[in-house]
Amino acid sequence: MIRLNLARAERHASILLLLAALLAYAYIFPRWADPNQNSRLNMVVAVVDDGTFQIDRYVSNTVDYAKIDGHYYSDKAPGVAWLGIPIYAGLRMLLDLPVITGLTERLANSEAFKSTLREDGSGVRTDKVRFAIAQIVLSMITNALPTAFTVSMIFLLLGRWGSGAFAAAGARAAVALSYGLLTPAFAYANAFYGHQLSAALLFGAFFWLQMRGASQLSAVAALGIGMLLGYSVVTEFPAVLVAAALWIYAAWLLLRAKRPMLLAPMTAGVLLCAAALMIYNNALFGGPLKLGYGNSELWEKQHGAGFMSLTMPHLDAMWGITFGAFRGLLLLSPVLALAVPGIVAWWRSGEHRAELALVGWASASMFLFNASSIMWWGGFAIGPRYVLPGLPFFALALAFVWCRPQARWAKVLGLALALWSLVATWGLTLADQAFPPDNLFNPLIEYAVPNWLAGNIARNVGTLAGLKGVASLLPLALMLTVLAIVWRRVVAPPDHDVRAATPVKTLPST
């Protein structure tokens, strides 16, 4: 456990940010009838209910499966599903209680609930409601909560990195919330995918190293950092690009602190996760290095191209995931454009050069990976979802623009870009009951706008209260407003001197 000597205002600020992010994520229910999520959910339910990894009984609800010897398996990286297995095992006992069974039946017969369903769907059944409740709980614990913690970690890390302008809680909160609420991280924070959990694990390892410091790291902590790195790859295979760089960075810190003996437990943590994955692969797919993607019955052409659908980065994909109207990150979240001058300012500052190199690699490697995929758009999606494991690192560069007093222009421009990011990201995320299809040229115009005008808003907590359309979001707006008022009363007054009240030693620049 990381023990931090933080000022009371700092602790309160980080908790408020965590609550605000978690509230925003959990208020919007995960997409149902989503083949990607269902593939992982099928594994969870099959293991707990049937005692097998075979998803034969449930395969009809997904197209993401591997077929071997006449049986079906999830073809996804198993990290999220593995975490979901013990959670669902405990949840199933609760779902069988009479009071929960009665609630399930009432939901199945709720007119407000039925109004959110597709007219051509199969309607609501009790078993489908149970499945939906499981998806909501699993998504919140395995993705929404870790993403909310990432928002809090960004805020705390920036406070630890320096004094002066970096001490301003408001500016650091703007950076953290820009990542958490104004990028595709918001869209996937409460979905049973692997991207956000993997991002949280990677950033958690980085945060642990920064806040603890290599000189104070224990063997148990080193083991924990290694397991975070290893499990990030078990959760999302492309995360190996960032995890490997983080291992090298951690090894450099340990050698610099003259503590090379801690490389052993850190590496052991990585190898434990690798061993678990290889045992799983061998048991299901016939070899320790064989992946489910190699047996994806419906995606043989895609996964057979290049190396598991990876070729070389191509220009149309590079344009598409940056400025393109279809999946362009900087069109969906233009606030991130300020990270580019932020990286320049970071370099010129001479501060934390090793961390800058790590941030540059994490951002560039995930970008090039996404641009190398023959399905770079990611199917039904919001933004370029394959870059998500590296996104919290890229967002750190915003601090070198917003947390500097000489960059007043950036704050004005940043506000305008943040407003556009809010409209675009939330507009797409909250439109209708599914992620935008991949046959549109401009999802914002062709998907978000028509659905909002028609009042087709994603299922949310307000829906259960009988609120419809945009009105269903009013409770969320009210609760976020209350948290903002609490922030002003609890955090803002000492903003000018938060570092003076925080007796921690600032880490030296690397």
Side-chain angles (χ1 to χ4, degrees):
M1 179 179 180
I2 308 172
R3 297 179 180 177
L4 308 177
N5 189 11
L6 299 173
R8 179 177 298 178
E10 190 83 341
R11 290 196 302 270
H12 289 167
S14 64
I15 292 171
L16 285 172
L17 287 175
L18 187 150
L19 290 176
L22 183 59
L23 175 62
Y25 303 151
Y27 190 87
I28 311 299
F29 297 146
R31 265 64 178 174
W32 299 347
D34 181 333
N36 199 309
Q37 295 185 79
N38 284 350
S39 181
R40 296 175 170 91
L41 281 164
N42 289 344
M43 182 201 296
V44 173
V45 175
V47 170
V48 176
D49 289 353
D50 306 334
T52 177
F53 283 101
Q54 296 171 2
I55 62 171
D56 299 3
R57 290 178 55 194
Y58 319 99
V59 73
S60 61
N61 68 14
T62 184
V63 296
D64 295 323
Y65 59 80
K67 186 177 182 180
I68 301 174
D69 297 330
H71 293 289
Y72 299 94
Y73 304 86
S74 172
D75 63 0
K76 300 299 181 183
V80 173
W82 285 358
L83 286 183
I85 288 169
I87 298 170
Y88 177 66
L91 177 64
R92 191 179 69 160
M93 293 187 291
L94 295 176
L95 290 175
D96 291 334
L97 294 175
V99 62
I100 302 299
T101 302
L103 174 62
T104 301
E105 292 175 352
R106 286 195 296 274
L107 282 175
N109 294 297
S110 168
E111 291 302 322
F113 196 66
K114 290 178 179 179
S115 68
T116 69
L117 303 178
R118 298 194 307 268
E119 293 182 2
D120 59 345
S122 58
V124 180
R125 300 194 309 266
T126 301
D127 61 325
K128 293 172 68 174
V129 174
R130 284 172 61 95
F131 195 83
I133 292 174
Q135 183 179 5
I136 291 170
V137 174
L138 292 174
S139 298
M140 185 172 68
I141 296 175
T142 64
N143 277 273
L145 192 57
T147 305
F149 270 110
T150 304
V151 170
S152 184
M153 286 189 289
I154 290 174
F155 173 81
L156 292 172
L157 176 61
L158 292 176
R160 184 63 182 262
W161 266 7
S163 57
F166 262 43
R172 288 186 285 132
V175 174
L177 290 176
S178 291
Y179 163 73
L181 300 182
L182 304 181
T183 73
F186 172 70
Y188 291 94
N190 199 26
F192 204 53
Y193 284 68
H195 309 304
Q196 285 307 114
L197 176 59
S198 185
L201 294 171
L202 291 168
F203 198 83
F206 179 61
F207 177 79
W208 203 341
L209 283 165
Q210 287 291 300
M211 301 300 280
R212 193 57 142 168
S215 61
Q216 300 178 33
L217 209 64
S218 66
V220 173
L223 175 67
I225 289 171
M227 293 187 71
L228 290 178
L229 296 178
Y231 207 81
S232 71
V233 180
V234 173
T235 301
E236 196 67 25
F237 297 140
V240 68
L241 298 170
V242 183
L246 274 165
W247 187 94
I248 294 171
Y249 168 74
W252 176 76
L253 288 180
L254 291 172
L255 292 174
R256 195 163 174 251
K258 298 181 179 179
R259 305 190 72 196
M261 71 290 297
L262 292 184
L263 286 172
M266 185 175 70
T267 304
V270 174
L271 294 178
L272 281 172
C273 296
L277 179 61
M278 287 190 286
I279 292 171
Y280 170 84
N281 288 338
N282 189 67
L284 271 61
F285 308 123
L289 299 181
K290 292 185 176 181
L291 305 177
Y293 291 125
N295 296 280
S296 295
E297 188 177 50
L298 301 182
W299 305 99
E300 289 182 359
K301 181 180 178 181
Q302 289 82 354
H303 292 149
F307 175 72
M308 302 300 288
S309 81
L310 296 177
T311 56
M312 295 293 291
H314 38 287
L315 291 178
D316 58 336
M318 295 174 73
W319 172 264
I321 61 180
T322 50
F323 299 103
F326 182 38
R327 290 286 185 265
L329 181 63
L330 298 182
L331 184 67
L332 180 66
S333 304
V335 69
L336 288 174
L338 290 177
V340 177
I343 288 176
V344 175
W346 191 341
W347 173 260
R348 289 177 175 174
S349 73
E351 303 174 26
H352 306 287
R353 286 288 178 84
E355 289 72 28
L356 173 58
L358 177 65
V359 164
W361 172 261
S363 306
S365 63
M366 297 312 300
F367 170 77
L368 292 175
F369 169 83
N370 201 151
S372 300
S373 173
I374 65 168
M375 285 190 65
W376 55 266
W377 58 92
F380 285 33
I382 293 178
R385 62 187 177 91
Y386 298 138
V387 305
L388 289 176
L391 202 57
F393 296 91
F394 186 58
L396 285 176
L398 292 173
F400 286 82
V401 175
W402 280 352
C403 294
R404 300 298 187 187
Q406 66 270 28
R408 296 183 185 276
W409 64 269
K411 296 178 181 178
V412 176
L413 176 61
L415 179 59
L417 295 178
L419 288 174
W420 172 251
S421 300
L422 177 68
V423 170
T425 301
W426 284 56
L428 268 177
T429 302
L430 302 183
D432 205 14
Q433 314 300 342
F435 288 131
D438 57 3
N439 60 352
L440 304 177
F441 174 75
N442 189 329
L444 275 172
I445 302 300
E446 300 175 54
Y447 188 80
V449 172
N451 277 296
W452 276 80
L453 290 177
N456 296 329
I457 305 300
R459 301 178 188 90
N460 55 71
V461 175
T463 303
L464 298 183
L467 299 175
K468 296 182 179 181
V470 178
S472 66
L473 301 177
L474 292 178
L476 173 61
L478 177 60
M479 289 184 282
L480 290 177
T481 300
V482 170
L483 286 177
I485 293 172
V486 173
W487 173 280
R488 291 292 299 173
R489 291 182 177 275
V490 175
V491 178
D495 217 28
H496 64 281
D497 199 27
V498 66
R499 294 298 299 179
T502 309
V504 294
K505 182 179 179 181
T506 301
L507 294 178
S509 173
T510 55

